[in-house]
Amino acid sequence: MKKLFLALCVALGFAAAPAGAADYPTRPITLIVPFAAGGPTDIIARIAGEYMSQSLGQQIVVENIAGAGGTTGITRGSQAKNDGYTIMMGHMGTHGAAKALYPKLKYDPNKDFAPIGLVAGTPILVVARKTIKANTLKDFVALLKSRQDKMNEAHAGVGSVSFTTCSLFNGIVGVKPTRVTYRGTGPVINDMLAGKVDYACDQIVNLVPQVKAGNLKAFAIATPKRSPALPDLPTTTEAGMPEFQVSAWNALFAPKGTSKEIVTKLNQALDKALSTEGARKRILDLGGVIPEGGDRSPEYLGTFVASEVARWNKVLKK
Ligand code: ASP
Protein backbone atom coordinates (compact mmCIF):
# COMPACT_ATOMS: atom_id res chain seq x y z
CA MET A 1 0.00 0.00 0.00
CA LYS A 2 2.74 2.36 1.07
CA LYS A 3 4.62 1.52 -2.10
CA LEU A 4 1.59 2.25 -4.23
CA PHE A 5 1.07 5.56 -2.46
CA LEU A 6 4.68 6.55 -3.07
CA ALA A 7 4.45 5.51 -6.70
CA LEU A 8 1.32 7.60 -7.05
CA CYS A 9 3.01 10.66 -5.53
CA VAL A 10 5.95 10.28 -7.86
CA ALA A 11 3.62 9.91 -10.84
CA LEU A 12 1.60 12.96 -9.82
CA GLY A 13 4.78 14.90 -9.20
CA PHE A 14 5.98 14.11 -12.65
CA ALA A 15 2.60 14.94 -14.10
CA ALA A 16 2.53 18.32 -12.33
CA ALA A 17 6.00 19.43 -13.44
CA PRO A 18 5.39 19.56 -17.20
CA ALA A 19 2.18 21.55 -16.80
CA GLY A 20 4.09 24.13 -14.72
CA ALA A 21 7.29 24.59 -16.64
CA ALA A 22 8.19 22.17 -19.42
CA ASP A 23 5.08 22.92 -21.49
CA TYR A 24 5.04 26.61 -20.63
CA PRO A 25 3.37 28.61 -22.06
CA THR A 26 0.14 26.82 -22.90
CA ARG A 27 -2.04 29.95 -22.92
CA PRO A 28 -1.68 33.73 -23.48
CA ILE A 29 0.57 35.72 -21.15
CA THR A 30 -0.58 39.04 -19.66
CA LEU A 31 2.01 41.82 -19.78
CA ILE A 32 1.16 44.65 -17.38
CA VAL A 33 2.16 48.11 -18.62
CA PRO A 34 1.89 50.47 -15.63
CA PHE A 35 1.09 53.54 -17.78
CA ALA A 36 -1.47 54.64 -20.37
CA ALA A 37 -1.34 53.23 -23.91
CA GLY A 38 0.74 55.05 -26.51
CA GLY A 39 3.63 56.13 -24.24
CA PRO A 40 7.22 54.85 -24.13
CA THR A 41 6.66 51.93 -21.74
CA ASP A 42 3.68 50.83 -23.82
CA ILE A 43 5.61 51.18 -27.09
CA ILE A 44 8.55 49.10 -25.81
CA ALA A 45 6.17 46.51 -24.32
CA ARG A 46 4.28 46.08 -27.57
CA ILE A 47 7.44 45.63 -29.65
CA ALA A 48 8.98 43.13 -27.18
CA GLY A 49 5.63 41.36 -26.73
CA GLU A 50 5.05 40.94 -30.44
CA TYR A 51 8.44 39.36 -31.12
CA MET A 52 8.59 37.30 -27.91
CA SER A 53 5.20 35.77 -28.63
CA GLN A 54 6.53 34.51 -31.97
CA SER A 55 9.12 32.29 -30.27
CA LEU A 56 6.93 31.41 -27.27
CA GLY A 57 4.08 30.31 -29.52
CA GLN A 58 1.54 32.15 -27.37
CA GLN A 59 0.15 35.64 -27.47
CA ILE A 60 1.44 38.29 -25.07
CA VAL A 61 -1.49 40.53 -24.20
CA VAL A 62 -0.71 44.04 -22.94
CA GLU A 63 -2.84 45.29 -20.06
CA ASN A 64 -2.46 48.98 -19.19
CA ILE A 65 -2.90 49.55 -15.44
CA ALA A 66 -1.94 53.19 -14.87
CA GLY A 67 -1.73 55.30 -11.72
CA ALA A 68 0.65 56.62 -9.05
CA GLY A 69 3.65 56.98 -11.33
CA GLY A 70 3.46 53.36 -12.45
CA THR A 71 3.42 51.91 -8.93
CA THR A 72 -0.26 50.84 -9.12
CA GLY A 73 0.33 48.45 -12.03
CA ILE A 74 3.61 47.14 -10.62
CA THR A 75 1.99 46.54 -7.20
CA ARG A 76 -0.70 44.52 -8.96
CA GLY A 77 1.91 42.59 -10.95
CA SER A 78 4.03 41.86 -7.88
CA GLN A 79 0.98 40.30 -6.20
CA ALA A 80 -0.07 38.22 -9.24
CA LYS A 81 0.22 34.43 -9.32
CA ASN A 82 3.86 33.55 -10.02
CA ASP A 83 3.04 31.02 -12.74
CA GLY A 84 4.57 32.93 -15.66
CA TYR A 85 1.21 34.07 -17.02
CA THR A 86 1.49 37.57 -15.58
CA ILE A 87 4.64 39.58 -16.17
CA MET A 88 5.27 43.34 -16.17
CA MET A 89 7.21 46.09 -17.92
CA GLY A 90 8.96 48.14 -15.25
CA HIS A 91 11.33 51.07 -15.66
CA MET A 92 13.77 53.40 -13.99
CA GLY A 93 10.89 54.94 -12.04
CA THR A 94 8.95 51.90 -10.84
CA HIS A 95 12.10 49.88 -10.04
CA GLY A 96 14.46 52.71 -9.10
CA ALA A 97 13.21 56.15 -8.10
CA ALA A 98 9.83 55.07 -6.65
CA LYS A 99 11.43 53.46 -3.63
CA ALA A 100 12.80 56.82 -2.47
CA LEU A 101 9.60 58.74 -3.28
CA TYR A 102 6.95 56.42 -1.78
CA PRO A 103 7.69 55.61 1.86
CA LYS A 104 4.78 53.15 1.85
CA LEU A 105 5.55 51.48 -1.47
CA LYS A 106 3.83 48.08 -1.42
CA TYR A 107 6.69 46.26 -3.16
CA ASP A 108 10.44 46.12 -2.84
CA PRO A 109 12.11 46.44 -6.28
CA ASN A 110 15.00 44.33 -4.95
CA LYS A 111 13.01 41.52 -3.34
CA ASP A 112 9.57 41.10 -4.84
CA PHE A 113 10.43 40.23 -8.45
CA ALA A 114 12.09 37.62 -10.60
CA PRO A 115 14.00 39.79 -13.10
CA ILE A 116 13.62 38.61 -16.71
CA GLY A 117 15.78 41.06 -18.61
CA LEU A 118 16.53 44.61 -19.70
CA VAL A 119 14.65 45.54 -22.88
CA ALA A 120 15.90 49.01 -23.85
CA GLY A 121 17.82 52.02 -22.64
CA THR A 122 15.93 55.24 -23.28
CA PRO A 123 17.79 58.57 -23.21
CA ILE A 124 15.87 61.57 -21.84
CA LEU A 125 14.94 64.61 -23.94
CA VAL A 126 13.66 68.01 -22.86
CA VAL A 127 10.75 68.77 -25.18
CA ALA A 128 8.21 71.57 -25.51
CA ARG A 129 5.15 72.48 -27.54
CA LYS A 130 6.16 73.74 -30.98
CA THR A 131 4.74 77.24 -30.38
CA ILE A 132 7.04 77.92 -27.42
CA LYS A 133 9.14 81.04 -27.99
CA ALA A 134 12.58 79.43 -27.77
CA ASN A 135 14.71 77.41 -30.16
CA THR A 136 17.69 76.45 -28.04
CA LEU A 137 18.11 75.09 -24.53
CA LYS A 138 19.62 78.43 -23.46
CA ASP A 139 16.62 80.40 -24.79
CA PHE A 140 14.24 77.93 -23.19
CA VAL A 141 15.94 78.18 -19.79
CA ALA A 142 15.78 81.98 -20.01
CA LEU A 143 12.09 81.84 -20.90
CA LEU A 144 11.40 79.38 -18.11
CA LYS A 145 13.14 81.60 -15.57
CA SER A 146 11.24 84.70 -16.62
CA ARG A 147 7.81 83.04 -16.85
CA GLN A 148 7.93 80.13 -14.39
CA ASP A 149 4.63 81.12 -12.75
CA LYS A 150 2.89 80.75 -16.12
CA MET A 151 4.62 77.56 -17.32
CA ASN A 152 3.20 74.02 -17.11
CA GLU A 153 5.39 70.97 -17.00
CA ALA A 154 3.64 67.63 -17.56
CA HIS A 155 4.68 64.27 -16.12
CA ALA A 156 3.41 60.72 -15.56
CA GLY A 157 3.04 60.90 -11.77
CA VAL A 158 5.31 61.02 -8.73
CA GLY A 159 8.07 58.44 -9.15
CA SER A 160 7.74 58.23 -12.93
CA VAL A 161 10.70 58.83 -15.19
CA SER A 162 9.29 62.12 -16.46
CA PHE A 163 8.60 63.35 -12.92
CA THR A 164 11.99 62.31 -11.57
CA THR A 165 14.07 63.61 -14.46
CA CYS A 166 12.21 66.92 -14.76
CA SER A 167 12.58 67.35 -10.96
CA LEU A 168 16.33 67.27 -11.60
CA PHE A 169 16.00 69.60 -14.59
CA ASN A 170 13.84 72.14 -12.74
CA GLY A 171 16.26 71.98 -9.81
CA ILE A 172 19.24 72.78 -12.06
CA VAL A 173 17.38 75.68 -13.71
CA GLY A 174 16.07 76.81 -10.32
CA VAL A 175 12.37 77.05 -11.24
CA LYS A 176 9.10 75.81 -9.77
CA PRO A 177 6.61 75.57 -12.63
CA THR A 178 3.08 74.20 -12.30
CA ARG A 179 3.45 70.42 -12.51
CA VAL A 180 0.57 68.55 -14.16
CA THR A 181 0.04 64.82 -13.58
CA TYR A 182 -0.98 62.39 -16.32
CA ARG A 183 -1.42 58.61 -16.47
CA GLY A 184 1.54 58.23 -18.78
CA THR A 185 3.57 60.33 -21.19
CA GLY A 186 1.48 59.11 -24.16
CA PRO A 187 -1.32 61.47 -23.05
CA VAL A 188 1.28 64.11 -22.06
CA ILE A 189 2.54 64.27 -25.64
CA ASN A 190 -1.00 64.32 -27.05
CA ASP A 191 -1.76 67.38 -24.94
CA MET A 192 1.56 68.96 -25.85
CA LEU A 193 0.77 68.51 -29.55
CA ALA A 194 -2.55 70.25 -28.86
CA GLY A 195 -0.65 73.10 -27.14
CA LYS A 196 -2.22 72.42 -23.74
CA VAL A 197 1.05 71.86 -21.83
CA ASP A 198 4.38 73.61 -22.21
CA TYR A 199 7.15 71.10 -21.62
CA ALA A 200 8.24 67.71 -20.33
CA CYS A 201 11.24 65.45 -19.85
CA ASP A 202 10.53 62.17 -21.58
CA GLN A 203 11.99 58.94 -22.91
CA ILE A 204 13.21 59.29 -26.49
CA VAL A 205 11.15 56.36 -27.90
CA ASN A 206 8.00 58.45 -27.41
CA LEU A 207 9.31 61.49 -29.26
CA VAL A 208 11.38 60.85 -32.38
CA PRO A 209 8.63 60.90 -35.07
CA GLN A 210 7.03 64.07 -33.65
CA VAL A 211 10.36 65.88 -33.23
CA LYS A 212 11.40 64.93 -36.79
CA ALA A 213 8.06 66.17 -38.14
CA GLY A 214 8.48 69.49 -36.31
CA ASN A 215 5.37 68.95 -34.19
CA LEU A 216 7.39 69.24 -30.97
CA LYS A 217 10.52 71.19 -30.09
CA ALA A 218 13.37 69.17 -28.59
CA PHE A 219 16.11 71.19 -26.89
CA ALA A 220 18.67 68.59 -25.81
CA ILE A 221 19.37 64.94 -25.09
CA ALA A 222 20.70 64.27 -21.58
CA THR A 223 23.37 61.72 -22.59
CA PRO A 224 27.12 62.14 -23.24
CA LYS A 225 26.61 61.38 -26.96
CA ARG A 226 24.03 62.41 -29.54
CA SER A 227 21.46 59.84 -30.64
CA PRO A 228 21.70 58.35 -34.15
CA ALA A 229 17.89 58.64 -34.25
CA LEU A 230 18.07 62.46 -33.89
CA PRO A 231 21.60 63.37 -35.01
CA ASP A 232 20.90 67.12 -35.10
CA LEU A 233 19.81 67.31 -31.48
CA PRO A 234 22.63 68.61 -29.24
CA THR A 235 23.59 66.91 -25.98
CA THR A 236 22.94 68.81 -22.76
CA THR A 237 26.71 69.34 -22.51
CA GLU A 238 26.83 70.89 -25.99
CA ALA A 239 23.77 72.98 -25.14
CA GLY A 240 25.34 74.40 -21.96
CA MET A 241 23.86 72.23 -19.20
CA PRO A 242 26.41 69.45 -18.56
CA GLU A 243 24.98 68.76 -15.08
CA PHE A 244 21.80 67.35 -16.59
CA GLN A 245 22.82 63.77 -17.44
CA VAL A 246 20.16 61.12 -17.17
CA SER A 247 19.06 58.05 -19.04
CA ALA A 248 16.13 55.74 -18.34
CA TRP A 249 15.41 52.12 -19.20
CA ASN A 250 12.61 49.58 -19.47
CA ALA A 251 12.83 45.98 -18.27
CA LEU A 252 10.68 42.87 -17.85
CA PHE A 253 9.93 41.36 -14.47
CA ALA A 254 7.88 38.41 -13.19
CA PRO A 255 6.51 38.15 -9.65
CA LYS A 256 9.01 36.72 -7.16
CA GLY A 257 9.02 32.93 -6.89
CA THR A 258 8.38 32.41 -10.62
CA SER A 259 10.26 29.21 -11.46
CA LYS A 260 13.73 29.40 -12.92
CA GLU A 261 12.64 27.36 -15.98
CA ILE A 262 9.90 29.86 -16.80
CA VAL A 263 12.16 32.87 -16.26
CA THR A 264 14.76 31.24 -18.52
CA LYS A 265 12.15 30.67 -21.26
CA LEU A 266 11.00 34.28 -21.06
CA ASN A 267 14.57 35.55 -21.05
CA GLN A 268 15.45 33.42 -24.09
CA ALA A 269 12.39 34.74 -25.92
CA LEU A 270 13.44 38.30 -25.06
CA ASP A 271 17.02 37.63 -26.14
CA LYS A 272 15.75 36.28 -29.45
CA ALA A 273 13.43 39.25 -29.91
CA LEU A 274 16.29 41.70 -29.29
CA SER A 275 18.37 39.87 -31.91
CA THR A 276 15.62 39.94 -34.54
CA GLU A 277 16.15 42.52 -37.24
CA GLY A 278 12.54 43.77 -37.26
CA ALA A 279 12.45 44.44 -33.52
CA ARG A 280 15.94 45.96 -33.53
CA LYS A 281 15.06 48.36 -36.30
CA ARG A 282 11.91 49.53 -34.58
CA ILE A 283 13.68 50.16 -31.26
CA LEU A 284 16.74 51.80 -32.86
CA ASP A 285 14.65 54.02 -35.17
CA LEU A 286 12.95 55.37 -32.05
CA GLY A 287 16.31 56.11 -30.40
CA GLY A 288 16.22 53.18 -27.95
CA VAL A 289 19.48 51.54 -26.93
CA ILE A 290 19.45 47.73 -27.18
CA PRO A 291 21.29 45.83 -24.43
CA GLU A 292 23.82 43.33 -25.77
CA GLY A 293 25.53 40.17 -24.47
CA GLY A 294 25.59 39.69 -20.70
CA ASP A 295 23.53 42.86 -20.17
CA ARG A 296 20.50 40.83 -21.32
CA SER A 297 20.62 38.28 -18.48
CA PRO A 298 18.22 38.12 -15.49
CA GLU A 299 21.24 38.29 -13.16
CA TYR A 300 22.44 41.52 -14.74
CA LEU A 301 18.99 43.08 -14.35
CA GLY A 302 18.86 42.08 -10.66
CA THR A 303 22.20 43.76 -9.97
CA PHE A 304 21.26 46.77 -12.10
CA VAL A 305 17.98 47.32 -10.19
CA ALA A 306 19.88 47.27 -6.88
CA SER A 307 22.30 49.89 -8.19
CA GLU A 308 19.45 52.05 -9.56
CA VAL A 309 17.55 51.97 -6.23
CA ALA A 310 20.74 53.03 -4.42
CA ARG A 311 21.56 55.72 -7.00
CA TRP A 312 18.11 57.34 -6.94
CA ASN A 313 17.90 57.14 -3.19
CA LYS A 314 21.05 59.25 -3.00
CA VAL A 315 20.02 61.71 -5.73
CA LEU A 316 16.47 62.23 -4.49
CA LYS A 317 17.37 62.54 -0.80
CA LYS A 318 19.60 65.43 -1.85
N1 ASP B 1 7.72 57.64 -19.72
C1 ASP B 1 6.78 57.65 -18.70
C2 ASP B 1 7.35 58.07 -17.39
O1 ASP B 1 7.47 59.23 -17.29
C3 ASP B 1 5.69 56.73 -18.59
C4 ASP B 1 5.14 56.09 -19.83
O2 ASP B 1 5.82 55.20 -20.31
O3 ASP B 1 4.04 56.48 -20.29
O4 ASP B 1 7.63 57.32 -16.49
Side-chain angles (χ1 to χ4, degrees):
M1 192 65 186
K2 202 174 167 194
K3 246 187 188 165
L4 181 72
F5 177 72
L6 274 177
L8 212 69
C9 286
V10 170
L12 283 174
F14 272 123
D23 287 356
Y24 172 86
T26 57
R27 55 188 170 88
I29 298 164
T30 298
L31 170 52
I32 296 178
V33 166
F35 295 100
T41 307
D42 187 73
I43 291 169
I44 293 292
R46 283 173 203 271
I47 298 173
E50 184 186 321
Y51 287 87
M52 284 172 73
S53 67
Q54 286 172 10
S55 53
L56 290 167
Q58 286 291 340
Q59 241 195 304
I60 294 187
V61 184
V62 169
E63 189 183 348
N64 299 86
I65 305 176
T71 62
T72 304
I74 297 300
T75 299
R76 187 91 68 85
S78 71
Q79 294 165 352
K81 207 165 167 199
N82 53 13
D83 58 3
Y85 291 98
T86 305
I87 57 175
M88 61 217 106
M89 185 64 80
H91 74 350
M92 188 210 85
T94 60
H95 286 76
K99 181 107 169 85
L101 291 165
Y102 289 93
K104 289 185 182 151
L105 193 64
K106 290 205 184 74
Y107 60 83
D108 184 336
N110 285 319
K111 291 187 187 144
D112 293 330
F113 303 90
I116 297 168
L118 208 50
V119 185
T122 57
I124 297 298
L125 267 55
V126 183
V127 288
R129 64 177 158 80
K130 72 170 181 188
T131 45
I132 210 109
K133 295 212 161 25
N135 288 319
T136 62
L137 186 64
K138 264 202 181 112
D139 291 352
F140 179 62
V141 166
L143 182 74
L144 200 51
K145 281 184 169 160
S146 66
R147 290 175 55 88
Q148 58 172 300
D149 51 326
K150 293 189 185 72
M151 296 281 253
N152 291 324
E153 174 236 310
H155 61 80
V158 174
S160 66
V161 164
S162 43
F163 175 87
T164 309
T165 57
C166 248
S167 298
L168 295 181
F169 177 78
N170 293 335
I172 292 168
V173 180
V175 289
K176 288 195 167 122
T178 304
R179 307 195 76 180
V180 193
T181 307
Y182 285 76
R183 294 170 74 75
T185 46
V188 163
I189 297 306
N190 284 341
D191 270 8
M192 194 177 285
L193 292 170
K196 289 184 195 158
V197 293
D198 295 319
Y199 74 104
C201 303
D202 197 14
Q203 296 169 262
I204 190 166
V205 294
N206 199 25
L207 308 167
V208 168
Q210 300 293 4
V211 170
K212 275 187 171 166
N215 298 329
L216 291 178
K217 275 186 186 170
F219 297 119
I221 182 167
T223 42
K225 277 195 192 147
R226 292 187 180 203
S227 168
L230 288 173
D232 295 336
L233 184 66
T235 65
T236 44
T237 303
E238 290 171 323
M241 195 187 282
E243 323 86 289
F244 188 53
Q245 293 290 334
V246 66
S247 212
W249 47 270
N250 282 98
L252 284 176
F253 299 87
K256 90 166 166 214
T258 303
S259 80
K260 194 151 192 283
E261 294 96 307
I262 289 177
V263 169
T264 301
K265 280 194 177 177
L266 289 165
N267 175 268
Q268 284 168 348
L270 174 63
D271 183 43
K272 200 163 170 203
L274 294 178
S275 301
T276 305
E277 207 182 314
R280 292 184 70 83
K281 182 168 172 21
R282 278 165 70 185
I283 296 172
L284 295 172
D285 283 353
L286 293 173
V289 179
I290 299 174
E292 303 294 351
D295 293 2
R296 289 187 189 173
S297 73
E299 294 73 26
Y300 177 82
L301 178 57
T303 315
F304 183 60
V305 165
S307 70
E308 284 289 275
V309 169
R311 176 166 83 101
W312 285 104
N313 188 46
K314 240 199 230 155
V315 172
L316 294 166
K317 291 271 142 79
K318 250 200 226 162

